[in-house]
């Protein structure tokens, strides 16, 4: 029987940042950073009740911290930590997730404890290497990995990719039966109450948080819940809000119910690969980003971590499959059996894409491709063969391939919804007309272009315009704040060739400008020589608007080629497509 100490609270008014510490299990202390007044998370996440950033200290023969906190808590956090333990004796920092609200103090911690070993997923360690710009000792973990701290504290790790970043793991202390989950099962709710005694107070914030962060990855939630099944959990120690003890089963059941409902209603792509092989994790993430742009869900499936029953279910129910060629299967009977399973259940209603990253050690790609084609699957993009370390251009190529596949999935889905939609409204909306334009952009060695018609002047002072860009467009990644582009205005009677060219379906990574006369704008983007006019533009801001980004842009320079020319106009029949 563990006697738990009452929480102690350190206050630093008037900033309304406070710290609460409490023993939550034998040798396990919560360090909760209470941010009472935070009213926004990211751009779109409005907070009504502030938030907390929860860090945990576990003391066995060796000492581990689980996650840190937001940088704004630096002084309070280290003052509190020093009251609990000599920080130089901390052996490990377990990083469940690397977003700065949990990793903001790692740099300072490493200054105090340079010999610290950081424990995390492969992706988390890669993210930290970019974030911290300094060497550090690390230990990679995934599902099934263990770290024994002694005195009963044996940490086991559970992979939970996509919840809500690809880096996420859970940490389970089998000695105390506490599961540390960082963002997952959390809520933005700031209160002195350490636990979830009164669920009625929390339910609204718990669901809002799920909808914003976890709902978009409902299938990944179900996968993580499945991997948690074998654990006996008496306390879920989350990274935000109260710890889940009194009503733990209810909170987990909410996640299961909402995720099952969500995943049944939406199509998805199964991205099947072998992590830790070649550059497959980089390529898989780039393809997944491209798919996400179209609003399509992705389930990442690491063949080494997924049993055959789950492989069968995923490969059967997915709307499309992407398969990264594993190392030659003679080395790994599980992977070989998994490939056979996928081939046994793949069906003609699915699309397929394949990639290879390990050169001559991969399973041969073309025989497998031919078998999928013989089964009737539609090839969403040509096989991607990566022989060298991926560059920005490679990443762009993979994103565009993912976007092609995502478009195939979302167009199928949209078609079903369109059939059930209000056709009168659709036709009325289609009576809105607009001009015809080509947006062109260059960033580093990547160029892109798209036909645009949803463009309008938005302000006079400063001279500004608004452009709607579908989230699935490849060019979208070149149009963030302070990026430059050119808006080429097409001319009535002289636009068909350009429109036809830029409406073409380009293979992923293809040069959009072959056969098109261009010259460079001062901002570096291509100007189309045949355009009636051009505007050199700079993105000031972009707003998330359903399936499009709305870019508000400053017009910096412009020129008209033919003063008497008239802008080409686009008339449509329906509002549900261009
Ligand atoms: Fe609480 Fe994703 O950070």
């Amino acid at each position: 029987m563990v006697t738990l100490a009452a929480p102690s609270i350190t206050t630093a008014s008037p900033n309304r940042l406070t710290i609460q510490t409490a023993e939550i299990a034998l040798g396990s202390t919560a360090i909760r950073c209470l941010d009472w007044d935070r009213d926004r998370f990211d751009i779109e996440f409005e907070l009504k009740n502030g938030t907390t950033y929860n860090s945990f200290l576990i003391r066995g023969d060796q000492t581990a911290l689980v996650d840190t906190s937001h940088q704004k808590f630096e002084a309070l956090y280290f003052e509190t930590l020093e009251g609990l333990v000599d920080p130089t004796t901390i052996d490990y920092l377990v990083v469940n997730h690397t977003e700065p609200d949990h990793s903001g103090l790692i740099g300072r911690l490493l200054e105090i404890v340079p010999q610290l070993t950081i424990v995390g997923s492969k992706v988390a360690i890669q993210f930290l290497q970019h974030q911290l710009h300094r060497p550090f000792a690390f230990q990679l973990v995934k599902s099934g990995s263990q770290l024994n701290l002694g005195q009963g504290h044996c940490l086991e790790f559970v992979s939970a990719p996509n919840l809500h970043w690809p880096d996420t793991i859970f940490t389970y202390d089998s000695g105390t039966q506490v599961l540390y989950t960082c963002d997952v099962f959390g809520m933005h709710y700031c209160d002195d109450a350490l636990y979830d005694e009164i669920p009625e107070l929390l339910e609204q914030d718990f669901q809002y948080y799920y909808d914003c962060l976890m709902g978009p990855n409902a299938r990944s939630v179900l996968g993580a819940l499945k991997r948690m099944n074998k654990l006996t959990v008496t306390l879920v120690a989350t990274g935000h809000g109260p710890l889940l003890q009194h009503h733990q089963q209810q909170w987990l059941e909410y996640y299961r119910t909402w995720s099952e409902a969500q995943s049944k209603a939406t199509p998805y792509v199964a991205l099947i690969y072998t992590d830790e092989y070649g550059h497959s994790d980089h390529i898989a993430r780039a393809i997944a980003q491209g798919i996400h742009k179209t609003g399509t869900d992705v389930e990442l499936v690491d063949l080494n971590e997924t049993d055959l029953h789950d492989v069968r279910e995923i490969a059967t129910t997915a709307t499309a499959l992407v398969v990264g060629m594993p190392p030659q299967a003679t080395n790994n009977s599980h992977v070989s059996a998994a490939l056979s399973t996928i081939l046994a259940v793949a069906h003609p209603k699915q699309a397929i894409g394949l990639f290879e990253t390990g050169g001559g050690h991969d399973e041969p790609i073309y025989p497998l491709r031919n078998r999928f084609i013989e089964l009737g699957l539609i090839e969403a993009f040509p096989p991607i063969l990566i022989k060298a370390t991926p560059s920005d251009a490679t990443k762009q190529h993979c994103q565009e391939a993912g976007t092609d596949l995502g478009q195939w999935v979302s167009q199928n889905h949209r078609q079903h919804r369109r059939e059930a939609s209000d056709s009168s409204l659709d036709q009325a909306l289609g009576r809105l007309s607009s001009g015809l334009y080509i947006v062109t952009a260059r960033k580093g060695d990547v160029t892109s272009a798209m036909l645009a018609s949803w463009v309008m002047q938005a302000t006079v002072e400063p001279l500004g315009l608004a452009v709607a860009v579908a989230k699935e467009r490849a060019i979208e990644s070149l149009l963030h704040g302070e990026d430059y582009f050119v808006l080429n205005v097409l001319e009535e009677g002289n636009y068909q060739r350009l429109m036809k060219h830029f409406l073409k379906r380009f293979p992923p990574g293809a040069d959009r400008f072959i056969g098109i006369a261009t010259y460079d704008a001062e901002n570096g983007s291509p100007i189309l020589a045949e355009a009636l006019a051009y505007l050199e533009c700079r993105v000031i801001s972009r707003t998330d608007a359903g399936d499009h980004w709305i870019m508000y842009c400053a017009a910096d320079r412009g020129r008209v080629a033919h003063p008497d020319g008239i802008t080409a106009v686009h008339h449509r029949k329906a509002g549900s497509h261009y």
Side-chain angles (χ1 to χ4, degrees):
M1 179 73 183
V2 182
T3 306
L4 304 181
S8 69
I9 298 172
T10 307
T11 306
S13 292
N15 297 325
R16 296 254 293 169
L17 301 180
T18 64
I19 288 221
Q20 177 192 67
T21 60
E23 194 178 357
I24 56 170
L26 185 66
S28 311
T29 307
I31 307 169
R32 297 181 71 231
C33 299
L34 282 70
D35 190 347
W36 295 89
D37 300 320
R38 186 162 180 177
D39 60 1
R40 195 153 283 280
F41 225 98
D42 302 327
I43 297 169
E44 70 285 1
F45 202 154
E46 188 185 351
L47 308 186
K48 291 197 174 71
N49 296 304
T51 192
T52 76
Y53 319 102
N54 304 335
S55 168
F56 303 92
L57 182 68
I58 304 174
R59 281 171 281 199
D61 294 325
Q62 292 182 296
T63 301
L65 263 180
V66 178
D67 298 318
T68 63
S69 183
H70 195 289
Q71 200 168 21
K72 67 171 82 170
F73 277 90
E74 181 171 326
L76 272 175
Y77 182 89
F78 284 104
E79 183 190 316
T80 305
L81 187 64
E82 281 164 18
L84 295 169
V85 68
D86 173 358
T88 62
T89 64
I90 295 173
D91 301 285
Y92 298 98
L93 169 67
V94 177
V95 175
N96 283 325
H97 169 47
T98 55
E99 201 166 6
D101 50 322
H102 309 284
S103 65
L105 302 179
I106 296 179
R108 177 70 188 125
L109 186 66
L110 279 170
E111 286 171 11
I112 299 169
V113 202
Q115 75 279 11
L116 184 77
T117 298
I118 299 184
V119 178
S121 67
K122 184 180 177 188
V123 181
I125 298 299
Q126 286 169 349
F127 284 178
L128 287 179
Q129 285 165 336
H130 283 111
Q131 245 177 57
L132 297 171
H133 304 295
R134 56 170 293 167
F136 57 84
F138 62 84
Q139 186 171 329
L140 300 181
V141 293
K142 56 184 182 177
S143 285
S145 304
Q146 293 190 344
L147 174 63
N148 194 346
L149 300 176
Q151 296 187 33
H153 296 284
C154 185
L155 305 185
E156 298 176 19
F157 302 94
V158 178
S159 297
N162 291 337
L163 300 182
H164 61 123
W165 277 15
D167 57 350
T168 305
I169 54 169
F170 299 159
T171 301
Y172 177 67
D173 184 341
S174 57
T176 57
Q177 298 183 335
V178 178
L179 182 70
Y180 301 91
T181 59
C182 201
D183 275 350
V184 186
F185 309 118
M187 67 193 90
H188 291 308
Y189 190 89
C190 185
D191 189 83
D192 287 330
L194 176 62
Y195 296 112
D196 56 338
E197 281 102 340
I198 309 174
E200 294 77 18
L201 289 178
L202 309 173
E203 278 171 347
Q204 195 177 2
D205 287 294
F206 186 79
Q207 180 159 13
Y208 180 53
Y209 181 100
Y210 170 90
D211 289 343
C212 291
L213 263 74
M214 303 299 158
N217 296 296
R219 277 188 187 77
S220 301
V221 172
L222 293 173
L225 287 171
K226 209 168 198 173
R227 286 190 284 279
M228 282 169 53
N229 266 348
K230 62 178 190 299
L231 307 176
T232 303
V233 178
T234 53
L235 173 65
V236 178
T238 65
H240 293 293
L243 313 187
L244 309 181
Q245 183 182 56
H246 299 284
H247 304 276
Q248 184 216 125
Q249 284 309 317
Q250 173 186 327
W251 303 120
L252 266 54
E253 195 50 41
Y254 279 148
Y255 260 50
R256 187 184 317 283
T257 308
W258 295 333
S259 299
E260 280 176 353
Q262 179 94 353
S263 59
K264 271 187 196 135
T266 50
Y268 77 105
V269 178
L271 209 164
I272 301 163
Y273 68 112
T274 310
D275 193 11
E276 300 180 2
Y277 176 62
H279 301 290
S280 58
D281 54 335
H282 288 98
I283 300 306
R285 284 209 299 278
I287 294 173
Q289 281 172 2
I291 297 169
H292 275 305
K293 276 188 188 181
T294 67
T296 302
D297 284 0
V298 182
E299 172 83 15
L300 290 170
V301 182
D302 182 347
L303 281 180
N304 279 325
E305 287 197 20
T306 312
D307 66 37
L308 290 181
H309 177 79
D310 289 345
V311 170
R312 171 179 288 274
E313 186 184 329
I314 290 165
T316 306
T317 56
T319 317
L321 307 171
V322 176
V323 180
M325 303 307 293
Q328 282 186 9
T330 48
N331 301 330
N332 187 329
S333 59
H334 173 72
V335 167
S336 173
L339 276 183
S340 301
T341 301
I342 295 165
L343 280 166
V345 297
H347 54 81
K349 287 187 179 167
Q350 294 172 317
I352 180 75
L354 295 158
F355 68 89
E356 174 184 301
T357 64
H361 303 295
D362 292 319
E363 277 286 303
I365 199 166
Y366 284 99
L368 188 66
R369 170 185 180 249
N370 293 343
R371 292 185 64 186
F372 280 117
I373 302 297
E374 283 163 16
L375 288 169
L377 281 80
I378 296 147
E379 187 170 56
F381 56 81
I384 298 173
L385 309 175
I386 306 294
K387 303 292 184 196
T389 304
S391 62
D392 284 350
T394 313
K395 192 177 157 199
Q396 179 77 7
H397 178 160
C398 294
Q399 278 195 6
E400 289 179 14
T403 299
D404 281 355
L405 179 58
Q407 282 173 340
W408 183 89
V409 172
S410 58
Q411 276 163 12
N412 270 11
H413 189 56
R414 252 185 246 137
Q415 182 62 32
H416 288 131
R417 283 189 311 181
R418 202 175 291 148
E419 283 160 10
S421 75
D422 178 344
S423 62
S424 298
L425 170 62
D426 199 26
Q427 287 173 20
L429 196 56
R431 292 308 183 270
L432 296 181
S433 58
S434 51
L436 277 173
Y437 312 90
I438 307 289
V439 175
T440 55
R442 174 179 288 122
K443 198 171 182 180
D445 59 355
V446 178
T447 55
S448 197
M450 73 161 210
L451 182 73
S453 59
W454 295 356
V455 176
M456 60 177 277
Q457 183 166 348
T459 54
V460 174
E461 186 57 50
L463 285 172
L465 55 134
V467 183
V469 178
K471 289 181 176 174
E472 62 201 39
R473 296 286 180 203
I475 200 171
E476 166 278 335
S477 62
L478 309 183
L479 300 177
H480 288 269
E482 292 305 311
D483 281 343
Y484 296 98
F485 68 94
V486 165
L487 184 73
N488 297 272
V489 182
L490 302 191
E491 184 174 11
E492 185 61 41
N494 184 31
Y495 66 87
Q496 287 86 351
R497 192 181 90 84
L498 286 173
M499 186 167 97
K500 194 170 166 202
H501 176 87
F502 287 102
L503 272 179
K504 256 189 335 219
R505 193 173 183 84
F506 292 93
D511 181 349
R512 268 72 169 157
F513 297 97
I514 291 174
I516 299 295
T518 64
Y519 58 99
D520 286 350
E522 283 187 41
N523 72 16
S525 297
I527 295 170
L528 305 183
E530 291 178 49
L532 166 64
Y534 71 83
L535 290 160
E536 293 194 38
C537 302
R538 177 169 35 92
V539 179
I540 303 292
S541 62
R542 53 190 247 165
T543 303
D544 188 335
D547 55 0
H548 282 64
W549 295 110
I550 309 291
M551 319 289 182
Y552 171 63
C553 319
D556 294 330
R557 279 172 291 277
R559 199 171 79 80
V560 179
H562 317 297
D564 298 329
I566 296 172
T567 303
V569 178
H570 181 45
H571 296 288
R572 302 173 301 155
K573 288 275 191 291
S576 56
H577 47 90
Y578 296 113

